[in-house]
Amino acid sequence: MKAIEVLIKYWGYNQFRLKQEEIINQVIRKKDTLALLPTGGGKSICYQVPALMKEGICLVISPLIALMHDQVRHLHSKGIKSVFITGKMHYSEIETIFTNCIYGGVKFLYLSPERLQNDLLRSRIKEMNINLIAIDEAHCISEWGHNFRPAYRNIHKIRHILPETPVLALTATATSTVIKDIQRNLLFKKENLIRSSFKRDNISYVVDNREDKKKTLIKLLNKIKSSVIIYVGSRKEANKLSTFLINNKFSTNYYHAGLSTEIRKERQQSWTENQTRIMVATNSFGMGIDKADIKLVVHMHLPANIESYFQEAGRAGRNNQTAYSFLIANNNDIKKQEQLLEIKYPHINEILEVYQNIANYLQIAVNDFPADAIPFDIILFSKRYKINILKIYHILRYLEKEEKIKFSDKVQSKSRIKIIIPNSKLYKFQITNKFYDAFIKTLLRSYNNLFNNLIVISEKEIGEQLNKSTDDVKKMLSKLKQLEVIEYQEKNNLSELTFLQARQDLNQLQLNKEKWKERKAYEKKKLESISEYITNQDVCRSKFLLHYFGEKGSIRCEICDVCIKNLNKDD
């Protein structure tokens, strides 16, 4: 089947957009390819169509569970067999998925970059007929990208297992530095970049530097009556601004990463279906959104860099109708971002102190290497050690970049258990403690691999088997934990820390101080670029943005605030 036939059959379109067909042709010829398409440019079709044209399965590496879930649901609606794997799945669920990928006609396997480091997964991948490796949000590979994710740096290792399988990396934002870094890290056999212009003819970019932001916002919302995203700089601001708008009779809700998965999903769906008109959100909202009728995107704060701003602003006007991106910012916002930069890059000694405090707080001795994620109450930790919570957050992110500790924010974890005594000792325990015998037998019957890993359990299901209440089951599990028979992590809403290396003595802890300084200088330069953008009064906004991304020959848009001001001058 030809590419256009696949497009017609599954998507109902009779022609490709932008550079989609050129990218697909490169993939079909087994050429490693980096595709740069603007936000809303149809990146997923670039790997889904060629994967459907060939025998075998496409391995898709994606950064967000919600994004994977949406893609799989979308493919299922077209009758295309697809699956995803997350860290919260039961061992037996993952085994079933592997079997289906090897024998069951699955066409797409979605997983996070962290999952690729799993030895079992790697061994199973060898048994699969992988026809393409697709890497979404590929800018996460580059430490010079605006959303660097250390696990992305290890994706290239899969190429040693699948040396003949082509790679397609996709992103909507990348500077020339990031473009080179992505291709180098992914071991491209030959540099191969296909890019579409980032120009969005239908978006009017406006910068408004008035002090009374809320008054400006109200006027905007009354004038542009459509689906809206309003970006703010913190979770607290999202809640406060949403409440303010509701009090002013606007259909509004808010979204940030601290909300439960269920609430986020419910709010996003309500907004997507136009039951809620306005979504006030932090930058955690938007990746993977495919909503065509967003006419207005407002930034109530100054983003840290042009990449983030451009990607978020680009969520407007995907139906090709005129849309607006308003950035309401002033010199005070620049000062705030400069202060935030200092918090984001504290002194190395402060980083070392927090690392030591974390080890003490979690009672992890030198050379200990916990195998599983550990619940971590960042608020309680902040109060105990009297350290600014924002500073802790950025130190954790720095330690993640240095591959010491991984921080997962508000993971909505399920209950897990692991038997921590040998089988022979467990048997003796059951003989001498008859009270627990039936309970332990139920656990062993219900869950596999309990001696090797922390396994996800359901207290409710265990209770139903034993005719006990959920609370009684929790008490039994807690007692077995107290008796040092099992490790038991009850379901919680805490963040988690995962040690990526054994806990080290501070004298042995290797931190790249020069790289730390380099990163800070790089981010400062990015802040200077977006500060220049908001203070600029002469250069077309669209031209300024395109020039930043390396498109030198662009013409004036004639619809941004600078162009309109200059047109009025000419009149």
Side-chain angles (χ1 to χ4, degrees):
M1 195 181 287
K2 293 177 181 177
I4 190 66
E5 292 171 339
V6 172
L7 187 71
I8 293 167
K9 178 180 177 180
Y10 291 105
W11 282 270
Y13 305 140
N14 55 19
Q15 64 180 29
F16 288 102
R17 290 193 292 152
L18 302 172
K19 300 278 186 173
Q20 287 176 331
E21 192 166 17
E22 188 181 341
I23 294 162
I24 288 164
N25 287 337
Q26 292 289 297
V27 172
I28 291 298
R29 291 176 193 143
K30 290 198 161 190
K31 291 186 178 180
D32 296 335
T33 307
L34 170 57
L36 258 70
L37 295 176
T39 303
K43 291 187 289 295
S44 57
I45 277 177
C46 295
Y47 65 82
Q48 288 169 350
V49 168
L52 288 166
M53 290 169 68
K54 299 162 76 176
E55 285 293 320
I57 183 171
C58 176
L59 182 65
V60 187
I61 298 153
S62 181
L64 292 176
I65 292 171
L67 203 57
M68 295 185 222
H69 188 271
D70 286 347
Q71 287 286 348
V72 167
R73 187 176 58 194
H74 184 63
L75 288 166
H76 281 173
S77 72
K78 299 180 182 305
I80 301 166
K81 200 168 181 181
S82 312
V83 292
F84 64 90
I85 293 174
T86 73
K88 302 302 172 190
M89 284 181 170
H90 192 280
Y91 175 81
S92 59
E93 284 180 88
I94 295 172
E95 272 294 332
T96 301
I97 287 170
F98 286 151
T99 303
N100 287 336
C101 287
I102 296 166
Y103 304 110
V106 170
K107 286 302 296 181
F108 295 91
L109 168 60
Y110 285 79
L111 43 82
S112 71
E114 286 80 8
R115 297 299 301 173
L116 279 180
Q117 297 173 48
N118 181 282
D119 290 336
L120 176 63
L121 174 66
R122 289 187 184 200
S123 67
R124 288 289 191 272
I125 280 175
K126 290 177 185 176
E127 301 175 60
M128 298 176 198
N129 178 19
I130 307 286
N131 62 29
L132 175 64
I133 303 166
I135 300 152
D136 202 7
E137 307 295 338
H139 58 270
C140 297
I141 287 169
S142 177
E143 60 185 305
W144 308 120
H146 66 285
N147 197 16
F148 174 55
R149 187 155 161 173
Y152 264 77
R153 299 292 284 185
N154 295 316
I155 291 172
H156 69 270
K157 292 177 183 176
I158 202 74
R159 302 216 67 181
H160 302 301
I161 299 172
L162 304 165
E164 301 304 316
T165 306
V167 165
L168 173 60
L170 306 118
T171 182
T173 49
T175 59
S176 55
T177 306
V178 173
I179 286 166
K180 288 185 184 302
D181 201 18
I182 290 170
Q183 294 183 83
R184 192 185 308 116
N185 182 265
L186 287 175
L187 308 177
F188 271 37
K189 297 177 178 72
K190 185 180 177 182
E191 284 194 3
N192 186 23
L193 170 67
I194 299 176
R195 68 187 303 165
S196 173
S197 172
F198 286 177
K199 193 171 193 301
R200 297 289 300 279
D201 293 320
N202 64 315
I203 296 183
S204 171
Y205 297 99
V206 180
V207 174
D208 194 312
N209 62 5
R210 272 172 279 198
E211 292 296 324
D212 193 341
K213 294 187 178 188
K214 286 181 178 176
K215 188 176 179 181
T216 303
L217 179 64
I218 293 290
K219 284 183 180 177
L220 266 177
L221 295 174
N222 281 325
K223 192 173 182 180
I224 303 170
K225 298 181 183 295
S226 68
S227 188
V228 181
I229 304 175
I230 302 171
Y231 283 107
V232 293
S234 71
R235 297 173 182 182
K236 188 176 179 182
E237 287 172 46
N239 193 345
K240 281 176 69 177
L241 185 59
S242 177
T243 302
F244 169 78
L245 291 175
I246 289 166
N247 291 339
N248 279 273
K249 312 301 179 192
F250 289 100
S251 170
T252 312
N253 218 324
Y254 67 94
Y255 183 109
H256 58 67
L259 299 169
S260 71
T261 306
E262 290 78 14
I263 290 173
R264 277 181 284 158
K265 188 177 177 183
E266 182 183 301
R267 290 183 182 182
Q268 182 171 330
Q269 188 173 347
S270 174
W271 175 79
T272 301
E273 294 173 357
N274 291 323
Q275 293 165 359
T276 304
R277 178 189 163 204
I278 300 162
M279 185 67 83
V280 183
T282 61
N283 61 7
S284 64
F285 181 73
M287 196 180 284
I289 281 176
D290 189 16
K291 193 174 194 308
D293 63 343
I294 304 166
K295 197 174 181 67
L296 175 64
V297 172
V298 183
H299 283 82
M300 296 291 283
H301 71 300
L302 181 67
N305 52 65
I306 285 176
E307 287 93 331
S308 298
Y309 165 69
F310 189 71
Q311 191 172 41
E312 289 157 8
R315 290 176 182 133
R318 292 192 184 178
N319 56 5
N320 293 319
Q321 302 295 311
T322 301
Y324 301 88
S325 167
F326 270 76
L327 174 50
I328 308 176
N330 49 46
N331 287 331
N332 285 333
D333 291 289
I334 296 173
K335 286 175 187 173
K336 282 180 188 174
Q337 281 292 356
E338 287 171 344
Q339 290 165 357
L340 183 58
L341 189 63
E342 293 305 313
I343 292 173
K344 282 177 75 174
Y345 287 91
H347 194 276
I348 287 288
N349 287 340
E350 290 180 276
I351 296 171
L352 293 170
E353 183 184 353
V354 167
Y355 180 86
Q356 178 69 53
N357 288 338
I358 286 169
N360 294 340
Y361 180 74
L362 299 175
Q363 298 183 319
I364 297 168
V366 172
N367 296 326
D368 275 2
F369 194 171
D372 300 295
I374 306 166
F376 180 68
D377 190 331
I378 193 169
I379 296 170
L380 193 61
F381 179 84
S382 169
K383 287 176 181 174
R384 180 175 297 183
Y385 292 96
K386 297 179 174 61
I387 306 169
N388 178 297
I389 196 164
L390 197 55
K391 184 176 281 189
I392 296 166
Y393 177 83
H394 287 296
I395 286 173
L396 288 167
R397 289 299 181 211
Y398 173 78
L399 290 168
E400 190 170 331
K401 286 178 180 176
E402 291 288 313
E403 299 188 38
K404 308 297 181 191
I405 293 173
K406 175 177 166 51
F407 175 67
S408 303
D409 195 12
K410 298 269 184 179
V411 292
Q412 297 289 315
S413 68
K414 295 179 181 178
S415 295
R416 297 168 178 237
I417 63 167
K418 177 183 177 182
I419 296 172
I420 56 175
I421 60 174
N423 203 343
S424 56
K425 283 192 176 180
L426 180 66
Y427 180 67
K428 287 177 184 175
F429 177 84
Q430 288 173 257
I431 291 171
T432 54
N433 296 272
K434 291 290 184 187
F435 178 72
Y436 297 104
D437 184 45
F439 187 81
I440 291 170
K441 282 176 179 172
T442 301
L443 294 179
L444 292 170
R445 272 198 312 269
S446 305
Y447 303 102
N448 298 321
N449 223 24
L450 282 172
F451 289 93
N452 300 318
N453 298 301
L454 272 167
I455 301 299
V456 173
I457 62 157
S458 166
E459 291 94 340
K460 184 183 176 186
E461 288 175 9
I462 294 167
E464 285 170 356
Q465 290 185 60
L466 292 166
N467 201 23
K468 291 181 179 292
S469 70
T470 300
D471 283 343
D472 284 343
V473 171
K474 287 180 180 179
K475 285 175 187 174
M476 292 280 275
L477 291 167
S478 297
K479 189 65 180 173
L480 287 170
K481 178 183 179 180
Q482 191 181 332
L483 292 168
E484 298 184 352
V485 173
I486 64 168
E487 183 176 343
Y488 172 46
Q489 292 179 2
E490 191 175 342
K491 178 180 178 180
N492 63 66
N493 193 27
L494 295 175
S495 304
E496 286 183 348
L497 289 183
T498 305
F499 275 70
L500 303 175
Q501 297 179 17
R503 185 251 157 135
Q504 293 165 295
D505 185 87
L506 290 191
N507 295 324
Q508 306 298 318
L509 188 65
Q510 298 293 315
L511 297 178
N512 192 329
K513 295 177 185 178
E514 289 307 311
K515 181 67 78 176
W516 178 84
K517 289 177 185 174
E518 205 177 335
R519 281 182 184 140
K520 184 177 181 181
Y522 187 75
E523 284 207 34
K524 188 177 181 183
K525 189 178 176 184
K526 285 185 172 294
L527 178 55
E528 286 167 358
S529 293
I530 197 160
S531 299
E532 186 185 346
Y533 174 76
I534 69 162
T535 53
N536 156 61
Q537 295 295 319
D538 304 307
V539 181
C540 162
R541 300 282 179 206
S542 179
K543 195 169 182 177
F544 187 107
L545 294 167
L546 294 173
H547 189 271
Y548 179 84
F549 289 109
E551 291 188 38
K552 307 292 185 186
S554 53
I555 59 173
R556 298 194 335 164
C557 71
E558 308 294 351
I559 58 172
C560 72
D561 61 322
V562 173
C563 284
I564 289 168
K565 184 188 75 173
N566 290 335
L567 283 169
N568 290 337
K569 273 185 188 175
D570 295 341
D571 293 341

